[in-house]
Amino acid sequence: MIAKIGRTSNLYGVLAYNNVKVERDNGKILTGNKMIETLSGHYTVAQLAASFEPYLIANRNTEKHTLHISLNPDPNDQVSDDQFIQLAQEYMNEMGYGEQPYVIFKHTDIDRTHIHIVSVCVDEEGKKISDKFEKRRSMEVCRELERKYGLMPAGAKKLEKNEKNFQPVDYKSGNVKDQIASVIKHLPRYYQFQTFGQYNALLSLFNISVEKVESELHKKMHLGLMYFPLDKNGERIGHPFKASLFGKSTELNALESHFIKCKKSLTGIEAKDTVKVIVDHALKYTNNEKDFKSVLIHQGINTIVRRNATGRLYGITFIDHNSKTVWNGSGLGKDFSASIFNDLWNNNINHENIESAQHHTTISHNKEKENLHYLFDFLDVAIISGHLENNLFEDVSGLLTFTNEEDYQEKEFANQMKNRKKRKR
């Protein structure tokens, strides 16, 4: 069994991430410890958060106060709900969090069923619970639980050859060709994209761009692809590489086949509606590009914006790491086209209320709560209280690890918190 421990200052974001699985019937709440119960057994994000608030109020000095822990048995282990609860309770007791409020979520959206535990690392008196030698203690607890419950030991199986570790290209570290190959040879296995532009938007997260080029072969003109490494500013750097150097799966014909396949598989897909809802609420509850991107990042969505030389926004693409799909703004609907965002961010024109150029400058405290799905409770709370983080990942370094035995969303979330710069408490 593998345990992963993450810390963040965004309690609402962590609860929303887990609770959305429950709403989509891809998970459920197994139980809680010292949690305020509801009559129906159904919880909103705000209701879950209420159990932790007294602890956070008592300590305002600990910035990363929220714990997000996942316990991941081997896929071959048959673990019942009761056993998951016992594993979680014993793990929390041994790690020093047994007297803390916590809620246990079970995720069933991938083949490897696993649990997430959300808690806080400050006690009811406001004192931070020690995390000294945490990783070592966690490994020892996992080994003991494996022995007690007859679970397969972590590391007993070797990684398969097709398991990949994706990292954005770092030109300065050398071996640029190999770095690009490790991304482009396998990326279509994980993400669905329907156009060349969407492919380029996805590649930009890995500091790569691709361009169609014409070449003459046997007196005939042929279209091919060239891949370019990018620097941290998105500018091309170094020498380009022909697609033929990486194999047929990276060439134009293979990509065009992928586009056709994805257009069919993405027709009527639920993920599109989910992205639309999240983008719509982010658009309504922010009035600038920085906050808009930050809100979407909390929901696992990257925003790629394209501008011309004059600064006009002419393209916007959303990359949803939850469903591993890529969507153009116009593909989501006319209300999400590039012109809408250009008017809002460049011209201060809001199409929902043309008469008021100041619409969205502030959030109305009188807005009826029923208009906002409970999943988005954290949006207005975070923005009103000024808790939107300024340095969320535009750089996705370390967030894109894919293996057959790891939930990508979970890895993304854990590494996002891990890679943020540590601040002094």
Side-chain angles (χ1 to χ4, degrees):
M1 182 175 71
I2 297 174
K4 302 175 187 177
I5 306 174
R7 282 182 168 79
T8 179
S9 59
N10 185 16
L11 172 64
Y12 278 79
V14 174
L15 291 171
Y17 167 83
N18 286 281
N19 214 42
V20 71
K21 307 268 187 175
V22 179
E23 283 301 298
R24 294 175 179 172
D25 294 326
N26 289 323
K28 63 180 179 179
I29 295 177
L30 294 181
T31 190
N33 186 62
K34 293 188 174 182
M35 298 292 293
I36 301 171
E37 297 183 3
T38 63
L39 293 176
S40 65
H42 178 85
Y43 292 87
T44 68
V45 173
Q47 287 171 331
L48 290 169
S51 297
F52 303 104
E53 288 172 356
Y55 292 75
L56 302 185
I57 292 173
N59 183 320
R60 295 185 179 276
N61 297 321
T62 302
E63 182 182 359
K64 295 186 177 181
H65 44 62
T66 299
L67 285 171
H68 189 205
I69 300 169
S70 67
L71 298 182
N72 308 270
D74 187 272
N76 293 321
D77 287 325
Q78 300 298 317
V79 183
S80 67
D81 288 353
D82 288 340
Q83 288 176 322
F84 267 128
I85 293 172
Q86 291 175 337
L87 287 170
Q89 290 174 339
E90 292 186 33
Y91 179 88
M92 293 297 279
N93 286 336
E94 293 297 324
M95 293 300 292
Y97 300 111
E99 297 302 316
Q100 293 293 99
Y102 59 81
V103 57
I104 305 170
F105 295 88
K106 177 183 176 181
H107 290 188
T108 57
D109 53 337
I110 60 173
D111 291 339
R112 176 182 48 74
T113 302
H114 57 290
I115 58 174
H116 286 238
I117 309 167
V118 179
S119 185
V120 288
C121 59
V122 292
D123 64 22
E124 56 188 350
E125 295 180 355
K127 183 179 179 181
K128 183 179 181 295
I129 298 172
S130 175
D131 58 358
K132 192 173 183 179
F133 305 117
E134 183 175 69
K135 290 185 178 180
R136 187 176 71 186
R137 290 190 290 119
S138 177
M139 290 178 64
E140 291 173 352
V141 173
C142 286
R143 300 298 80 77
E144 180 58 33
L145 291 175
E146 287 169 352
R147 288 190 290 270
K148 183 175 180 178
Y149 291 96
L151 303 178
M152 183 175 291
K157 293 172 63 179
K158 294 183 179 179
L159 291 177
E160 300 293 334
K161 291 182 179 180
N162 63 351
E163 294 175 343
K164 304 302 298 182
N165 181 18
F166 291 174
Q167 295 287 340
V169 170
D170 179 6
Y171 183 80
K172 294 182 180 179
S173 67
N175 296 320
V176 176
K177 178 185 172 183
D178 290 341
Q179 290 188 63
I180 293 176
S182 68
V183 175
I184 64 175
K185 290 178 70 173
H186 306 281
L187 198 60
R189 290 178 50 205
Y190 297 99
Y191 281 84
Q192 297 187 75
F193 41 88
Q194 306 174 61
T195 67
F196 194 74
Q198 291 179 356
Y199 181 50
N200 238 328
L202 181 58
L203 286 177
S204 70
L205 298 182
F206 299 90
N207 298 335
I208 303 171
S209 71
V210 63
E211 181 180 310
K212 293 180 182 179
V213 293
E214 270 193 334
S215 61
E216 186 175 351
L217 181 64
H218 303 307
K219 296 183 180 181
K220 292 184 179 180
M221 299 304 295
H222 295 270
L223 266 180
L225 298 179
M226 296 285 283
Y227 289 90
F228 298 80
L230 304 176
D231 62 19
K232 62 181 181 180
N233 298 316
E235 301 294 332
R236 291 178 180 176
I237 185 172
H239 299 291
F241 298 88
K242 292 181 179 180
S244 57
L245 295 174
F246 304 107
K248 291 185 177 181
S249 64
T250 69
E251 295 181 0
L252 186 58
N253 287 341
L255 285 173
E256 289 178 339
S257 296
H258 185 72
F259 299 157
I260 294 172
K261 180 180 177 181
C262 291
K263 285 179 181 178
K264 293 180 180 178
S265 63
L266 291 176
T267 301
I269 189 172
E270 179 184 345
K272 179 179 180 180
D273 293 332
T274 302
V275 173
K276 284 176 65 175
V277 171
I278 294 174
V279 172
D280 181 53
H281 280 85
L283 185 59
K284 290 177 179 177
Y285 280 77
T286 62
N287 69 320
N288 61 74
E289 182 176 345
K290 184 177 181 180
D291 284 351
F292 176 82
K293 288 182 175 180
S294 296
V295 167
L296 291 190
I297 285 294
H298 279 300
Q299 295 302 310
I301 299 175
N302 273 108
T303 306
I304 307 299
V305 171
R306 295 175 295 283
R307 288 183 169 86
N308 62 20
T310 65
R312 177 177 175 78
L313 193 154
Y314 69 87
I316 188 164
T317 301
F318 302 101
I319 301 172
D320 178 25
H321 300 294
N322 303 297
S323 61
K324 303 181 184 66
T325 56
V326 184
W327 306 93
N328 289 336
S330 58
L332 295 178
K334 63 180 182 180
D335 293 334
F336 309 104
S337 65
S339 61
I340 297 294
F341 290 92
N342 182 71
D343 285 344
L344 177 61
W345 294 339
N346 287 349
N347 304 323
N348 198 29
I349 299 174
N350 191 310
H351 286 260
E352 281 192 337
N353 191 347
I354 294 295
E355 291 78 16
S356 174
Q358 298 304 315
H359 190 71
H360 293 322
T361 300
T362 60
I363 298 175
S364 171
H365 292 260
N366 296 321
K367 185 176 180 65
E368 293 185 4
K369 202 66 175 179
E370 289 74 17
N371 292 338
L372 189 64
H373 190 280
Y374 75 83
L375 170 61
F376 300 94
D377 287 346
F378 75 97
L379 278 179
D380 52 352
V381 174
I383 298 171
I384 292 172
S385 59
H387 288 164
L388 274 180
E389 299 182 50
N390 294 324
N391 296 313
L392 293 169
F393 66 93
E394 290 294 325
D395 175 9
V396 294
S397 179
L399 303 180
L400 299 161
T401 300
F402 298 81
T403 72
N404 292 339
E405 297 185 326
E406 290 187 345
D407 180 2
Y408 166 67
Q409 299 170 44
E410 169 191 317
K411 186 70 175 178
E412 176 189 354
F413 193 97
N415 280 338
Q416 176 185 339
M417 295 184 290
K418 179 180 177 182
N419 290 336
R420 291 176 189 165
K421 295 181 179 178
K422 293 183 179 179
R423 302 174 184 171
K424 292 182 179 179
R425 293 192 176 112

